[in-house]
Amino acid sequence: MQNSKSPLAALTLGAIGVVYGDIGTSVLYAVKEVFAGGHVPFTPDNVYGVLSIFFWTLTVIVSIKYVVLVLRADNNGEGGLIAMLALASQAVKDKPRLRQALLGIGIFGTSMFYGDGVITPAISVLSAVEGLDVVSPTFGQAVIPLTLAVLLGLFIVQKRGTGGIGRFFGPVTLVWFFSIAVLGISHIVRHPEILKALSPYYALRFMWLQPGTTFIILGAVVLCVTGAEALYADLGHFGKKPIRLAWFGAVMPALTLNYFGQGALLIARPEAVKNPFYMMAPDWALLPLVILATMATVIASQALITGAFSVTKQVVQLGYLPRLNVQHTSVRDTGQIYVPAVNWGLFVAIVVAVVMFRSSSNLAAAYGIAVTLDMLITTTLTFFVIRYGWGYPLALCIAATGCFFVVDLAFFASNLLKLLEGGWFPLMIGCCIFTLMITWKRGRAILNEKLQHDSLDLRSFLESVFQQPPVRVPGTAVFLTAQPGTVPNAMLHNLKHNKVLHEHNLFVTVRSHEVPWIGLDKRAEIESLGHDCWQVVLHYGFKNDQDLPRALELIRARGCELEPMTTSYFLSRDVVVPTIGGGMAGWREKLFAQMHHNAGAAAEFLNLPSNSVVELGSKVEI
């Protein structure tokens, strides 16, 4: 969560760097793509109309929807689609079927984030490096190799963490916004009449006279709001006030000035439509601008990669993915994590996207479906939050979200026109991730039902064991079990092969909840089972770090003494059994079995090998 002691200026500067890096680099390609498609005749009236649509898209979607409305829907100070999903599911918890439907919709939207996570870094970095082609056509052959080199360097440094470079995000991005604002002003002063496009009259006139063309170009106009979801996702890091102050005080003015500057340039020099952003700059500033743009796009990509790590961790803790290797890159900030599987999976997909599409214009055809679908889902979930969670009147809820739903639906429908041109690519990635998530969730549910059906009651088992007690050895054994009140297989194997029982025994179950944070005062529930045995249930939010050794230390003062050097975890591998008579399709059952195998022996709780023994007090990464 955000540091309440951080000064407002520092938080605002950080928000400029992290939250708005993506939307700030959209000026590189948004205007170009609207006119590059050939659907809009190049006339001054159409330039005015397109600029007006850009301005009011930013106003309606970003300023009003996200900054004013959606930021209010915080989940204990946290934002993002997972936080909104948790709020919505809690709001309708008394409606099981509706709750399940919303969970499915929300998880599908989360899976679409990964599709967006592939296209956004690819189009951002590629569009920045394409400025070399404006500097000199001889550099054109170097665009793809240099783009791949920049991306490779970006993904290599991820394992070192973002702490070292994070302090430069804000200043560099602030320089970027200042530079694009100056570029825009330099052309607006030559043609100040371009500012008339601020009036909604020109947008409405364009849509009235050319409704078909308007619908088609919405797929390109949406490029100007790339990264709008980051406003909500980074709420917990910066807070509402810094995010709002950064948007209205720096980001939106700079974007508006640059877009209108590009419009003024196009009216004066229609041939600049090839790349209006770079052609705004004087010759001497082109190369420095390419370097600055590349730095800005790397920062924008970094923020998205970091978001992918965080989303993955949250989804894992909600039980929709198997345990992955999560490495903490900071001893002070638990939010700084590195997930190797996600890092290199994203890199491979991004390389495929760059090599396959080869230009930012082609990538623009692939962009839009995933992000507009996420926007549509966010609006849908917002309705259920304000209606059932906040208890607002139905008419007010429909009025508050209905307008945004229509706008989001129009953008999504327009982007469907690009499905065969490349829109299938992020959609395919999202659908594959969604299949993995649902398969894992359903597979674990079936497996747990099977294990619970075949399991022994813990209390009854302990009573029978202590009628003729085995040899008790010094120390504490921690048995991890998916269901409280059942005998873990690891204990049965220990008694069968070693014929001993530890002096103290803990039967631990971990519960993940649909809230971002659960405090230490509510972390552990402990129940005595007699004979120095205890049932322990540990509770975590989806943003908590599941550090079991630290959590178990909390129960020392509650009647259970633990000695770190003599406490061991016992973990056993669950057996994946085939279902009989249904449950999952055969191919999904095989997929789950393979995922379960790859997750390791302790997929339910820890990244440790089967039958592992670890000392309490050691740092366990999960």
Side-chain angles (χ1 to χ4, degrees):
M1 297 179 69
Q2 62 173 319
N3 183 359
S4 58
K5 296 182 179 179
S6 299
L8 180 61
L11 288 172
T12 303
L13 182 62
I16 290 175
V18 176
V19 178
Y20 296 111
D22 192 4
I23 198 170
T25 55
S26 62
V27 294
L28 289 165
Y29 45 80
V31 173
K32 178 181 70 173
E33 295 309 320
V34 170
F35 290 101
H39 300 291
V40 183
F42 197 87
T43 65
D45 285 343
N46 284 344
V47 172
Y48 278 79
V50 168
L51 289 179
S52 187
I53 291 174
F54 267 68
F55 175 76
W56 287 101
T57 297
L58 288 170
T59 300
V60 172
I61 292 183
V62 183
S63 298
I64 300 177
K65 176 185 172 181
Y66 280 98
V67 177
V68 175
L69 177 63
V70 175
L71 281 185
R72 295 186 60 203
D74 67 289
N75 191 337
N76 294 322
E78 293 295 328
L81 194 54
I82 292 291
M84 179 70 81
L85 173 60
L87 283 174
S89 65
Q90 287 296 313
V92 297
K93 60 184 178 181
D94 58 335
K95 299 175 175 59
R97 296 183 65 179
L98 177 58
R99 182 174 180 272
Q100 286 299 317
L102 292 182
L103 283 172
I105 292 172
I107 292 300
F108 184 71
T110 301
S111 66
M112 288 297 107
F113 173 83
Y114 293 94
D116 182 29
V118 170
I119 297 297
T120 299
I123 191 174
S124 297
V125 176
L126 188 55
S127 62
V129 178
E130 282 175 345
L132 291 174
D133 195 28
V134 179
V135 175
S136 174
T138 58
F139 291 146
Q141 297 298 321
V143 170
I144 298 296
L146 186 56
T147 298
L148 295 178
V150 170
L151 289 169
L152 177 61
L154 174 63
F155 281 90
I156 285 177
V157 301
Q158 293 304 310
K159 62 183 177 181
R160 301 182 180 274
T162 60
I165 58 177
R167 66 176 64 95
F168 299 108
F169 280 16
V172 171
T173 311
L174 187 61
V175 171
W176 168 254
F177 281 118
F178 176 77
S179 300
I180 65 175
V182 170
L183 282 176
I185 291 172
S186 67
H187 289 272
I188 291 174
V189 295
R190 301 174 192 173
H191 301 279
E193 66 276 6
I194 197 70
L195 294 177
K196 291 189 296 183
L198 291 170
S199 169
Y201 164 78
Y202 291 93
L204 295 173
R205 182 173 182 270
F206 184 92
M207 290 186 285
W208 177 261
L209 295 178
Q210 304 179 71
T213 300
T214 301
F215 178 73
I216 293 173
I217 68 169
L218 286 180
V221 172
V222 75
L223 295 171
C224 77
V225 292
T226 58
E229 286 282 336
L231 280 167
Y232 185 42
D234 289 310
L235 174 60
H237 294 117
F238 301 101
K240 301 174 186 177
K241 189 172 182 179
I243 290 176
R244 287 169 173 162
L245 185 60
W247 173 252
F248 289 114
V251 179
M252 187 174 183
L255 292 176
T256 302
L257 289 171
N258 191 267
Y259 284 129
F260 278 70
Q262 291 187 47
L265 172 67
L266 290 176
I267 290 177
R269 296 169 52 196
E271 69 276 8
V273 72
K274 176 185 176 182
N275 199 322
F277 175 79
Y278 280 114
M279 296 187 76
M280 293 173 71
D283 292 341
W284 62 267
L286 270 178
L287 193 56
L289 187 60
V290 171
I291 296 173
L292 179 60
T294 303
M295 294 173 64
T297 54
V298 166
I299 289 173
S301 302
Q302 172 63 63
L304 193 143
I305 294 167
T306 303
F309 294 158
S310 298
V311 167
T312 300
K313 178 186 173 186
Q314 294 172 20
V315 171
V316 165
Q317 293 185 191
L318 286 176
Y320 284 92
L321 282 176
R323 294 294 174 190
L324 299 173
N325 177 20
V326 177
Q327 301 173 11
H328 289 263
T329 59
S330 172
V331 297
R332 292 177 296 179
D333 186 359
T334 59
Q336 291 189 24
I337 59 175
Y338 169 65
V339 186
V342 175
N343 185 70
W344 295 111
L346 275 178
F347 175 72
V348 170
I350 290 172
V351 169
V352 170
V354 171
V355 173
M356 180 187 302
F357 292 98
R358 303 195 67 80
S359 73
S360 61
S361 293
N362 293 336
L363 277 167
Y367 186 89
I369 290 182
V371 68
T372 52
L373 190 55
D374 270 353
M375 290 179 177
L376 195 60
I377 290 173
T378 298
T379 302
T380 302
L381 295 179
T382 302
F383 169 81
F384 289 98
V385 171
I386 65 176
R387 173 68 180 117
Y388 297 102
W390 299 352
Y392 286 173
L394 179 60
L396 179 61
C397 295
I398 293 176
T401 59
C403 176
F404 300 121
F405 186 87
V406 171
V407 172
D408 293 338
L409 185 61
F411 276 103
F412 175 65
S414 177
N415 276 278
L416 286 178
L417 298 176
K418 303 189 295 184
L419 185 63
L420 299 180
E421 300 176 18
W424 58 269
F425 185 70
L427 199 61
M428 178 191 69
I429 293 173
C431 288
C432 288
I433 298 296
F434 179 71
T435 300
L436 291 176
M437 289 182 180
I438 297 301
T439 298
W440 178 259
K441 185 71 171 181
R442 179 58 181 154
R444 289 300 298 174
I446 293 174
L447 180 58
N448 287 336
E449 290 173 4
K450 174 66 175 176
L451 294 174
Q452 191 170 11
H453 181 268
D454 297 338
S455 64
L456 300 174
D457 179 71
L458 182 59
R459 281 186 178 274
S460 301
F461 178 79
L462 291 177
E463 289 177 4
S464 63
V465 165
F466 285 110
Q467 289 180 2
Q468 295 181 336
V471 176
R472 305 294 289 268
V473 296
T476 301
V478 177
F479 296 98
L480 301 181
T481 175
Q483 295 293 333
T486 60
V487 180
N489 290 331
M491 183 182 186
L492 296 175
H493 286 291
N494 188 46
L495 288 171
K496 177 181 178 181
H497 297 291
N498 300 323
K499 298 178 175 60
V500 298
L501 196 64
H502 281 70
E503 182 181 6
H504 303 284
N505 297 275
L506 301 181
F507 301 92
V508 180
T509 298
V510 173
R511 288 279 182 262
S512 293
H513 298 272
E514 295 172 3
V515 294
W517 305 99
I518 291 180
L520 294 178
D521 58 326
K522 300 179 181 178
R523 175 74 74 240
E525 293 180 14
I526 182 170
E527 178 186 0
S528 176
L529 302 175
H531 307 285
D532 291 320
C533 297
W534 291 270
Q535 175 75 64
V536 180
V537 180
L538 301 178
H539 300 277
Y540 291 93
F542 57 77
K543 296 208 69 164
N544 286 124
D545 277 331
Q546 294 188 4
D547 188 341
L548 268 67
R550 182 186 178 193
L552 292 178
E553 288 178 354
L554 298 174
I555 69 176
R556 283 190 177 188
R558 301 174 64 179
C560 180
E561 293 295 329
L562 299 178
E563 292 296 332
M565 298 304 296
T566 60
T567 301
S568 303
Y569 288 148
F570 286 82
L571 305 114
S572 59
R573 184 186 301 273
D574 295 330
V575 178
V576 179
V577 293
T579 57
I580 300 176
M584 286 196 299
W587 67 270
R588 289 186 64 190
E589 186 169 308
K590 293 179 181 178
L591 174 62
F592 169 70
Q594 185 61 43
M595 293 169 67
H596 191 279
H597 174 74
N598 293 340
E604 183 66 26
F605 299 106
L606 299 171
N607 283 327
L608 297 173
S610 181
N611 301 321
S612 292
V613 178
V614 297
E615 294 179 357
L616 182 65
S618 62
K619 178 62 177 175
V620 181
E621 303 287 0
I622 67 172

